Amino acid sequence: MNLLTAIGAGVLVTLATATICRASDTLNILCGVDEAWCAVMKKTYETKTGLAVKMPRMSTGEILDYVRAEKDTQTVDVWWGGTGVTHLQAAYEELLEPYRPQQEADLLPWARNFFSLSSGTSVGLYAGALGFAYNGELLASAGLPAPNCWKDLAKPIYRGHILSGNPHSSGTAFTTLVTLVQLLGEDEAFAYMRELGQNITEYTKAGAEPVKAAGRGEITIGISFMHDAVTQKEAGAPLVIVAPCEGTGYEIGAVSIVKGSRNLEAARRFVDFALSPEGQATGAAAGQNQVPSNAKAVLPPAAPDISMIKMVDYDFATFGSPEQRSRLLSRFDSEINPTN
């Protein structure tokens, strides 16, 4: 069973180091989900266990760079959240610690398949589809038609109206890059991204920032995961959320224990909690709308129905390799030339 079918059923090391506690009685977690979820999980887990937790938030690419940089003197115990394809890259580089979670039997097939792909070092935590959202008020005031497809976003009429993430730091943006390659073919995808790049005002560090900015009225259109846009809309933002007509990609967010963890047993207990219905409920409590991986967890009411969205058969095995990531990012730099 492939992952899509189952679903239907560099970093500033010196700055980050200051936020990571090296004491063995503190659990050090790098958080790759939204800041609000990081905060709720930290408070919930500390209250439940009495264990001190350090949990700075970073973008997924930054976390990978951080874990790489500390390979020989690791201070991180757990990498929680962020796009699974980046966790797979860490797995291929032997930066993660194998662990079979207690909840394995309760996980949905796509999460168990992801666990197998990572050779037992990373587990599917949540899933979500890629898309974009536009601010209906700004679109109307600019007299622009509503975009419905990826190809629409490259039209000159949207020049200066779009934000997207930078795939070096943002797992969301790397998913966008890989999605377009799989939808269009690599050469056509890069030709499209060159046209799209003329309409993008900024490549943001964090992948959710484009739809947050659209929700705040700072930009008309943001490319991000749809569940991030749903969170903004639920908070009152005038957003219209679009699943592109050509089809789209998706993420499996993951949780992994970092190889060299100084608190291995505590790290294992956290992974078990993160995959439990109670742990996964912290997402909804923080206003997040991803699809949880535990079949016994409650689905957030506003979560997009990913079984109804046309999606590519995302090739995690290929695009999770360090070689592919490096090659695609190098080509992105040379042909798209993001300014930030």
Side-chain angles (χ1 to χ4, degrees):
M1 181 185 296
N2 64 40
L3 291 176
L4 182 56
T5 301
I7 282 182
V11 66
L12 295 177
V13 173
T14 55
L15 178 61
T17 300
T19 68
I20 294 290
C21 179
R22 296 177 182 269
S24 60
D25 60 349
T26 299
L27 188 63
N28 295 313
I29 302 170
L30 292 183
C31 180
V33 297
D34 187 83
E35 291 90 342
W37 193 358
C38 300
V40 170
M41 174 60 92
K42 180 181 185 298
K43 182 178 180 180
T44 300
Y45 197 68
E46 286 183 329
T47 300
K48 180 180 179 66
T49 65
L51 181 67
V53 174
K54 292 289 184 181
M55 191 184 287
R57 197 273 170 190
M58 296 183 188
S59 294
T60 311
E62 292 181 302
I63 294 177
L64 177 60
D65 287 342
Y66 187 95
V67 170
R68 281 172 174 162
E70 292 218 331
K71 179 178 180 180
D72 297 324
T73 55
Q74 196 59 253
T75 60
V76 180
D77 299 307
V78 179
W79 174 356
W80 176 58
T83 50
V85 68
T86 316
H87 285 254
L88 286 179
Q89 290 156 24
Y92 292 150
E93 295 178 40
E94 299 183 347
L95 297 173
L96 306 180
E97 181 76 24
Y99 177 60
R100 186 173 296 277
Q102 293 180 2
Q103 292 78 14
E104 182 183 12
D106 296 331
L107 298 180
L108 292 167
W110 52 264
R112 295 200 302 271
N113 289 350
F114 184 86
F115 181 68
S116 297
L117 272 179
S118 73
S119 299
T121 62
S122 189
V123 191
L125 183 67
Y126 56 79
L130 184 70
F132 56 86
Y134 60 84
N135 185 305
E137 295 175 359
L138 291 182
L139 197 81
S141 66
L144 294 171
N148 295 303
C149 307
W150 289 115
K151 64 182 180 182
D152 292 337
L153 299 185
K155 294 177 179 178
I157 57 173
Y158 296 111
R159 188 151 300 169
H161 288 281
I162 302 176
L163 278 184
S164 184
N166 188 321
H168 280 279
S169 60
S170 165
T172 304
F174 187 73
T175 301
T176 304
L177 190 165
V178 171
T179 291
L180 294 169
V181 167
Q182 291 179 100
L183 273 174
L184 306 175
E186 186 170 325
D187 289 340
E188 186 176 344
F190 275 90
Y192 165 80
M193 285 188 285
R194 286 193 294 273
E195 294 181 13
L196 176 64
Q198 296 180 59
N199 296 344
I200 292 174
T201 62
E202 181 183 355
Y203 289 93
T204 63
K205 183 172 72 171
E209 180 56 28
V211 291
K212 289 183 177 181
R216 294 190 298 263
E218 297 170 0
I219 196 72
T220 308
I221 303 167
I223 301 172
S224 294
F225 285 115
M226 293 172 66
H227 53 253
D228 289 322
V230 169
T231 298
Q232 301 306 308
K233 187 172 183 177
E234 288 286 294
L239 293 181
V240 178
I241 302 167
V242 179
C245 70
E246 300 95 336
T248 193
Y250 62 99
E251 71 165 334
I252 291 178
V255 59
S256 307
I257 297 174
V258 177
K259 189 174 183 179
S261 164
R262 302 182 184 186
N263 304 289
L264 190 55
E265 288 306 316
R268 290 168 175 167
R269 288 192 293 271
F270 177 83
V271 169
D272 287 334
F273 178 76
L275 294 168
S276 71
E278 181 184 1
Q280 299 211 317
T282 60
Q288 304 303 296
N289 291 285
Q290 292 94 325
V291 176
S293 63
N294 191 315
K296 296 180 179 179
V298 177
L299 182 70
D305 185 353
I306 55 180
S307 68
M308 301 299 292
I309 298 170
K310 180 181 178 181
M311 290 192 285
V312 298
D313 191 2
Y314 199 104
D315 189 347
F316 285 87
T318 296
F319 294 102
S321 72
E323 294 79 14
Q324 283 285 1
R325 176 183 174 85
S326 177
R327 186 182 66 78
L328 289 174
L329 288 177
S330 294
R331 185 170 182 181
F332 184 85
D333 287 344
S334 64
E335 298 187 27
I336 312 303
N337 191 29
T339 58
N340 50 330

